[in-house]
């Protein structure tokens, strides 16, 4: 029998919601995508069409019977749902409010998974009557293309739920990574360590944005897409790591605040693709073209990586 829920609800249809919904639907789940905003639901309906094409292109597991419906009526969206995936903005107060509100509308047996980027699950569950039903399920963006999900139980999570969620993730052919709870979880701790150093290098004028992107993409990203960091150390030699880390680690950026470079851009309204400018400037049509190039590249890379042995 499939571990997948028959009906699932995704709460929040922004950047992440449509891809999450589409991935589950393609695996045969009846998915209801809910948002508080009508405009967000309209955008999600348009995004869903594009995402479906991408899932077909990567030969994502396909089972009959799945579907996505879109709506702004919460009770209708929760009707019969066995799994709720919360994907509202990354604010603890908002998430706690949404979780408490959801709980008041559902039966005790319904599981709630949160897609938080790194807020501790235990903290989030403090607003809940049954925090045992809450678990972290952190998808990576774009969620319909990155086939790995972090599974993070909080202190109060029912242990049986951990195995259940791992079974669900495997059932749609993604790789579950079980982790102990820590702010940022594993993926974003690593990503944000890289991004902190990158922003410091740009701020100090050590390299251009184009140079940084080329260096990290080919020197680090390409290699790490084939060999993980632990195996990379064996390939390089632990003695080399000792020699370099001995003088380099103390030089690395250790700031604890968001870089000024980023705060200045945000103050100018430059948020990235969503506002037409960010780290780079975009002319008419450029954002759509870049999005397309990224998706095409990720499809090609995923196919290649899926066809080679794990090292
Ligand atoms: N954007 C990313 O790259 C990733 C984001 N995440 C996490 O996923 C969550 C969602 O992120 P995004 O999709 O990027 O956010 P977003 O801001 O693009 O979308 C959030 C959506 O939630 C809706 N919303 C706000 N309040 C709501 C409520 N009370 N009920 C229902 N919907 C509500 C908004 O209208 C919006 O459409 C966050 O916790 C984020 O940290 C996780 C992985 C990657
Ligand atoms: C910049 C950034 N921040 C957070 C996340 C996340 O995983 O929550 C991502 C991502 O790629 O998924 C990200 O790029």
């Amino acid at each position: 029998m499939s571990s997948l829920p028959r009906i699932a609800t995704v709460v929040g249809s922004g950047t992440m919601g449509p891809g999450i919904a589409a991935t589950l639907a393609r695996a045969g789940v009846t998915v209801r995508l809910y948002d508080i905003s009508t405009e967000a639901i309209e955008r999600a309906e348009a995004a869903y069409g594009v995402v479906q094409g991408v899932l077909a292109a990567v030969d994502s597991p396909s089972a009959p019977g799945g579907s996505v419906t879109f709506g702004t009526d919460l009770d209708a969206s929760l009707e019969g749902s066995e799994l709720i995936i919360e994907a509202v903005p990354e604010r603890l107060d908002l998430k706690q409010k949404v979780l408490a509100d959801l709980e008041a509308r559902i039966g005790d047996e319904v599981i709630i998974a949160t897609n938080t980027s790194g807020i501790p699950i235990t903290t989030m569950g403090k607003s809940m009557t049954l925090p045992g039903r809450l678990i972290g399920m952190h998808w990576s963006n774009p969620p319909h293309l990155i086939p790995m999900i972090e599974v993070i139980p909080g202190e109060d999570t029912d242990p049986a739920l951990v195995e259940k969620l791992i079974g669900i993730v495997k059932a749609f052919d993604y790789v579950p990574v079980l982790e102990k709870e820590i702010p940022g979880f594993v993926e974003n701790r690593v990503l944000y360590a890289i991004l902190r150093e990158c922003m410091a290098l740009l701020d100090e004028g050590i390299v251009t944005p184009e140079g940084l992107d080329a260096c990290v993409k080919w020197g680090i990203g390409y290699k790490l897409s084939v060999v993980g960091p632990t195996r990379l150390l064996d390939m390089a030699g632990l003695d080399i790591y000792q020699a370099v880390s001995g003088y380099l680690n103390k030089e690395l950026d250790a700031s604890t605040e968001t870089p000024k470079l980023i705060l200045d851009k945000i103050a100018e309204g430059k948020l990235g693709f969503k506002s037409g400018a960010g780290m780079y400037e975009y002319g008419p049509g450029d954002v759509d073209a870049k999005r397309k190039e990224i998706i095409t590249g990720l499809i090609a890379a995923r196919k290649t990586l899926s066809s080679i042995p794990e090292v």
Side-chain angles (χ1 to χ4, degrees), residues 21-43:
T23 304
L24 292 172
R26 189 160 160 107
V29 180
T30 298
V31 185
R32 312 237 180 76
L33 184 52
Y34 164 79
D35 202 286
I36 202 167
S37 145
T38 311
E39 294 77 44
I41 284 292
E42 283 166 6
R43 280 194 301 270

Side-chain angles (χ1 to χ4, degrees), residues 117 138-141 187-188 191-192 195:
S117 295
H138 179 228
W139 302 61
S140 196
N141 186 32
E187 186 194 359
N188 276 332
L191 177 62
Y192 277 71
L195 289 177

